[in-house]
């Protein structure tokens, strides 16, 4: 059996057939941000308002107004769920295509996170 991992943002590093955990503060923070982006309200019973609730945008027409609303939601949610980032510059440029909005989440000192919204399919990582 083969297992394919995307280690771009992650907890696991594979080098020379050895699997190790990535334990840097920066990688941990990137993972927390990705978890925030992937989580919808009420996904966690004990924390019903945790997350970004991005699935609520699925099916809406792709417009510049929607792209801005999602961008503002991403920035607000990242800061809300990660206290350390309140004073940090977070930049979220995006590109609009026909049925997709591509986002780059750029946070000082961290890896860039790439995230795409496809109108009828939702969000995917990375692009």
């Amino acid at each position: 059996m083969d297992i394919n991992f995307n280690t771009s943002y992650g907890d696991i590093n594979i080098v020379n057939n050895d699997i190790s955990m990535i334990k840097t503060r920066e990688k941990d923070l990137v993972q927390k941000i990705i978890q925030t982006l992937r989580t919808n309200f009420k996904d966690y019973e004990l924390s019903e308002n945790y997350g970004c609730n991005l699935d609520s945008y699925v099916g809406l027409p792709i417009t510049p107004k929607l792209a801005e609303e999602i961008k503002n939601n991403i920035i607000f949610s990242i800061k809300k769920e990660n206290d350390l980032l309140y004073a940090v510059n977070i930049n979220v440029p995006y590109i609009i295509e026909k049925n997709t909005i591509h986002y780059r989440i750029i946070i000082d000192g961290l890896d860039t996170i790439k995230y795409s919204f496809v109108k009828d399919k939702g969000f995917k990582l990375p692009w």
Side-chain angles (χ1 to χ4, degrees):
M1 174 183 354
D2 290 333
I3 299 175
N4 185 13
F5 289 100
N6 178 348
T7 59
S8 300
Y9 301 110
D11 299 319
I12 298 173
N13 191 21
I14 302 173
V15 178
N16 297 328
N17 295 324
D18 288 331
I19 298 175
S20 62
M21 298 298 288
I22 298 173
K23 297 180 182 177
T24 66
R25 179 180 166 148
E26 291 79 14
K27 291 287 185 184
D28 181 55
L29 192 52
V30 169
Q31 281 298 307
K32 287 179 181 177
I33 291 167
I34 291 170
Q35 184 65 27
T36 299
L37 295 172
R38 289 183 171 170
T39 304
N40 293 301
F41 295 160
K42 300 185 180 182
D43 279 356
Y44 296 124
E45 187 174 329
L46 298 176
S47 186
E48 291 186 348
N49 293 321
Y50 174 82
C52 216
N53 206 38
L54 294 176
D55 281 352
S56 65
Y57 299 107
V58 174
L60 297 178
I62 301 294
T63 64
K65 183 179 177 183
L66 178 68
E68 277 295 312
E69 185 176 330
I70 292 171
K71 170 188 167 179
N72 293 332
N73 185 3
I74 288 170
I75 293 170
F76 174 79
S77 296
I78 288 172
K79 288 184 175 187
K80 177 182 80 170
E81 302 301 342
N82 299 282
D83 294 337
L84 299 173
L85 297 179
Y86 273 103
V88 174
N89 185 27
I90 300 174
N91 189 11
V92 184
Y94 57 85
I95 298 170
I96 299 175
E97 292 182 350
K98 184 178 180 181
N99 287 315
T100 305
I101 308 170
H102 298 289
Y103 291 91
R104 281 187 183 269
I105 302 167
I106 303 167
I107 301 172
D108 291 342
L110 296 178
D111 293 337
T112 297
I113 301 169
K114 300 173 186 174
Y115 215 53
S116 295
F117 172 70
V118 182
K119 177 183 174 184
D120 295 321
K121 297 180 182 177
F123 287 83
K124 63 181 182 176
L125 172 90
W127 55 277

